[in-house]
Amino acid sequence: MRGKACSHPGRDLHEHLRGTLAVACQIAGFHGIELTDEEKTAVLVHDLGKAHPLFQGKLCRNCDNRTTCPQGRERLREKRQAQQYGHAEPSAVMALALTRNMVAAEAVRRHHTHLEGVSDIKDAWFSLEWSNEYSDGVIDRVRALKMWNGGRDILIQIGFEGGDSWSAVMPSQPSEWDDLVFDHVEDGLAGMSEQGYLDRWFRLRLLYSILVAADRYDAAVKDGISFKTPEIQWDRVQAYIDSLPDSPVRAFQESLRQQAVQRAQEIITRPGIYTLTLPTGSGKTLIGLEIAMEVCERLKAKSIIYVLPFVTLVEQNAQVAAKLLSEVREDHHLAYGKDEDEELTDTERFIQFFRYWQEPVVVTTMAKLWEVLYGIKANETMSLHRLAGSVVIIDEPQGIPRAYWATFYQTLKLLSEKMGTVFVLMTATQPEIVEGRELAPPNVRFPRVRHRFHWIPGKRTVEEAAAYIEEWGLIQRDCLLVLNTRRSALLMWLEMKKRGLSPYFLSAWLTPHHRQQVMSRLRYDEEARTRRCLVSTQVVEAGVDLDFECAFRDLGPLDSIVQVAGRCNRRLKSEVPGEVYIMELWDGSKTYAASVYKGSEQGGSVLLNQTRLILNENEHFDEAACPGIVGEYYRRLKDAVPGTEWWNLLKKGFWGEYRSPFGSSTGHEIMLLIDEDGGLARRLDELVEPLSKTDKMEEIRRRRAVFQKLAQHSINVPLRYLEHPEEGWSVRLGCMVMGKKRPSLWKHPTGIWVLDANEIGRVYRKDVGFVPPYLSDLIEEIANG
């Protein structure tokens, strides 16, 4: 190669190899993870395959220095036809030859793609022939790697002083290669115990996360990586506590906080799994963070990771965390690049691009934690090592479907044992997911009962339910009405409009921007003691800090009903307990609950059946009875819903499967941009402009920032509501009329649909969001009448 090989345009390959090893060692050192010599060698050679002429030629064609660099000019003169060249495989081959460590070699082989299961791993390695007449074998590809000055230094570093070819690291005969693969791949993965498979799975994922993070970090930042531990400042905690407003429950919350923190000091003496079960409205966020801070300081933890079920809660709780702690990272898919014009350091660009948990405090979603624990794509796993020696608060874990409880518990148990992690599962309705010591004091009760539950058996339509709500006097009071579907919620909203109310509305058919406005108005009215009626879907359940005098809930899982009740007389403003009414609503043919809570893994029908049975046995009960009733519900649920075989599959080597219980089930839904000011749609063009070859990471970051801005003004709606040939909005608005300059509802080349400002009020309303065509006439008649 006459002196030079590159890993990326303008970056010497040997510098990247050594830089990646240095970063990997820094990551491992900070987190107390010991890398073996074999693993370090594998990291050092992870990109050696890039020394192949085909890969170098591709780099030169994309390099800004190709006309001034001697090697670049020479390769351009060769005019070699551009070809794709996979560099990870020859790198992995050398890693196996050097280390005899299948896990280390496999991490190298897949560090740009995704992890595979044992069967696929074996197939891949046994397909790597020494040499054949039809295509390059492993020895041919290694021999084709050119030597350069920096490469000789790498060769010396791995123990081959005086060598002038990378084939020096390889076996000398085909039979030796076959024996090597058989001994360390076939025999190395055959006949292992279940625990042996789990140990290999864990070590592969851990090394994979370190290698992928180090490789990406060195390429993007180039300097060594550094971490900070959380800075605990108790005066900030006290200042926050002093700033909390007075309320009838404030003294109770403060006493409970002190008791829970004291118990955590006594109970959490080592890594493990713990639970914190406290009623809604008791100040769990502050208590959980303070416990995490105390444990972090006492056990010298590396980081605090706070996990929540929804993006909206991440935003809300990250604000609280930022008042208590420095350097808090709000991590979710809409959090990064909020200002596409901001100037970022290389480190910040890396964190945003890969969603890497480098800060000492991270507030993230359950879906992201699930990816980190079980995801198979390289970039999904990058933060796994950040769990080592950390305190992880998992808020509202009841959102994990019953079928995954065993797998999740076994995973947390494995990580606490092998990585020294402290896990705290925190909720008002603690499911029987884990076996852990309880941190809350026994028999926690508010000073007095805040609400009572009333189950009304039988099925009723929305119209019939509205009549009951009026009869019970809810519409004369500050009331919350929670429905299961957007359709039933819109119908209930219309029923309240018919009765002369001006109800608020919340659902996923309102853009995030408009949902924030509704929440602000609700809080303002609450402070002003103005009577409100809020009709909502389940978006208002867990973690939303609103308080109403009374509530109604369409039948759902019992824990969801209890979460809604947590918004009823939440702060004990009323001397009289609030009333929570529960009914099962249907459309005349099927219940709305059945269309939402379904699926075998979620155990949807079982959730509803068990809830119905529990409520039939307890038609009227109050908040004090909740812990016992919820406990019985979860015991029955555990028996009624079988767990998945996923953990057993992992113990048998099925490592390449990924199952997410948090995936979108939107079906044929599309993104609809509400172009309220007439200027948002123009930003869509920025999403389809060709990427620069010089700084793709920065351009992708800016593109994401544009998308995230647009997402604040967008919703997902079923495509049929726009394109149906008879009833879709496209037909209703005459969007298919020939010769029209541009319709008011149109599809951008990105696939995103756009609603122009002139149709806001018809297709989309600021009070209820998207209007499905089948309800448009009724909504217009009642809402505007």
Side-chain angles (χ1 to χ4, degrees), residues 308 310-321 330-332 334-335 338 363 512 516 712:
L308 292 136
F310 310 120
V311 168
T312 51
L313 297 186
V314 172
E315 295 171 338
Q316 175 181 304
N317 287 26
Q319 292 172 6
V320 176
E330 178 186 328
D331 172 59
H332 54 81
L334 294 178
K338 291 181 178 179
V363 186
Q516 286 282 6
Q712 293 298 314

Side-chain angles (χ1 to χ4, degrees), residues 39 100-104 106-107 115-116 118 121-122 183-190 192-208 414 418 650-651 653 655:
E39 289 169 338
R100 275 38 178 185
N101 185 317
M102 184 283 300
V103 168
E106 186 61 17
L115 292 171
E116 293 182 331
V118 168
I121 290 172
K122 290 181 179 180
D183 291 345
H184 297 283
V185 178
E186 175 60 36
D187 282 358
L189 292 173
M192 283 195 301
S193 65
E194 290 185 343
Q195 187 59 48
Y197 274 121
L198 281 178
D199 289 343
R200 290 288 183 95
W201 172 72
F202 168 75
R203 192 66 191 183
L204 175 57
R205 291 191 66 83
L206 182 59
L207 179 60
Y208 195 60
L414 183 72
K418 289 185 174 290
L650 292 174
K651 291 191 291 187
W655 304 338

Side-chain angles (χ1 to χ4, degrees), residues 160-388:
F160 289 86
E161 189 167 354
D164 200 43
S165 170
W166 294 111
S167 59
V169 309
M170 296 292 292
S172 58
Q173 299 296 326
S175 60
E176 294 177 6
W177 167 254
D178 292 340
D179 290 343
L180 176 67
V181 174
F182 191 88
D183 291 345
H184 297 283
V185 178
E186 175 60 36
D187 282 358
L189 292 173
M192 283 195 301
S193 65
E194 290 185 343
Q195 187 59 48
Y197 274 121
L198 281 178
D199 289 343
R200 290 288 183 95
W201 172 72
F202 168 75
R203 192 66 191 183
L204 175 57
R205 291 191 66 83
L206 182 59
L207 179 60
Y208 195 60
S209 81
I210 293 173
L211 171 59
V212 171
D215 175 56
R216 311 302 195 257
Y217 193 91
D218 181 76
V221 183
K222 300 180 180 66
D223 297 325
I225 196 169
S226 62
F227 300 94
K228 297 179 182 178
T229 55
E231 182 180 357
I232 309 301
Q233 297 174 296
W234 293 112
D235 55 333
R236 290 180 63 163
V237 177
Q238 191 57 52
Y240 176 76
I241 293 170
D242 293 343
S243 72
L244 295 173
D246 257 345
S247 76
V249 299
R250 188 70 202 93
F252 164 77
Q253 290 173 329
E254 178 59 18
S255 173
L256 181 58
R257 180 188 69 81
Q258 294 177 12
Q259 292 179 66
V261 172
Q262 178 62 38
R263 281 178 58 85
Q265 290 175 349
E266 298 167 358
I267 292 172
I268 304 179
T269 59
R270 62 177 61 90
I273 304 172
Y274 304 88
T275 58
L276 181 64
T277 310
L278 297 171
T280 57
S282 57
K284 288 195 303 295
T285 300
L286 173 60
I287 294 172
L289 283 169
E290 189 171 352
I291 287 174
M293 293 169 68
E294 193 281 327
V295 173
C296 184
E297 184 176 60
R298 181 162 43 86
L299 300 187
K300 303 294 187 282
K302 306 300 182 183
S303 63
I304 294 172
I305 299 169
Y306 196 136
V307 183
L308 292 136
F310 310 120
V311 168
T312 51
L313 297 186
V314 172
E315 295 171 338
Q316 175 181 304
N317 287 26
Q319 292 172 6
V320 176
K323 293 177 181 177
L324 307 180
L325 292 148
S326 303
E327 298 186 68
V328 175
R329 168 65 59 180
E330 178 186 328
D331 172 59
H332 54 81
H333 71 286
L334 294 178
Y336 297 102
K338 291 181 178 179
D339 184 355
E340 72 267 29
D341 297 321
E342 64 182 328
E343 292 296 326
L344 302 177
T345 65
D346 288 341
T347 301
E348 179 64 23
R349 289 171 62 196
F350 169 82
I351 291 170
Q352 290 198 8
F353 189 85
F354 292 108
R355 288 184 64 183
Y356 181 62
W357 295 347
Q358 190 170 348
E359 278 87 353
V361 183
V362 175
V363 186
T364 189
T365 62
M366 189 65 214
K368 181 59 181 176
L369 176 66
W370 202 266
E371 278 187 358
V372 170
L373 294 178
Y374 306 112
I376 59 175
K377 295 180 181 177
N379 292 344
E380 292 174 347
T381 68
M382 284 174 60
S383 294
L384 177 63
H385 54 266
R386 291 293 285 144
L387 298 176

Side-chain angles (χ1 to χ4, degrees), residues 590-629:
K590 64 181 182 300
T591 65
Y592 294 105
S595 65
V596 174
Y597 302 102
K598 56 187 177 182
S600 58
E601 289 191 340
Q602 283 71 24
S605 60
V606 179
L607 296 176
L608 296 177
N609 289 339
Q610 293 300 327
T611 299
R612 202 180 287 110
L613 286 171
I614 288 281
L615 292 176
N616 284 338
E617 296 167 9
N618 303 271
E619 290 190 6
H620 304 281
F621 60 97
D622 62 23
E623 182 184 20
C626 269
I629 292 174

Side-chain angles (χ1 to χ4, degrees), residues 582-594:
I582 309 143
M583 279 186 176
E584 186 167 17
L585 305 186
W586 72 326
D587 61 6
S589 60
K590 64 181 182 300
T591 65
Y592 294 105

Side-chain angles (χ1 to χ4, degrees), residues 529-571:
R529 297 184 178 275
T530 301
R531 186 167 53 117
R532 303 158 299 167
C533 174
L534 170 61
V535 180
S536 176
T537 59
Q538 304 97 312
V539 297
V540 80
E541 285 178 0
V544 177
D545 190 19
L546 293 172
D547 194 356
F548 294 87
E549 292 178 342
C550 52
F552 170 89
R553 177 62 161 93
D554 187 6
L555 181 70
L558 185 62
D559 58 280
S560 296
I561 294 170
V562 173
Q563 288 290 344
V564 169
R567 277 78 218 158
C568 178
N569 199 20
R570 183 179 180 85
R571 286 181 269 274

Side-chain angles (χ1 to χ4, degrees), residues 662-683:
F662 308 104
S664 173
S665 58
T666 55
H668 297 291
E669 289 197 343
I670 51 87
M671 183 173 175
L672 175 63
L673 173 65
I674 311 302
D675 193 9
E676 191 172 351
D677 63 6
L680 291 172
R682 289 193 294 270
R683 304 296 308 272

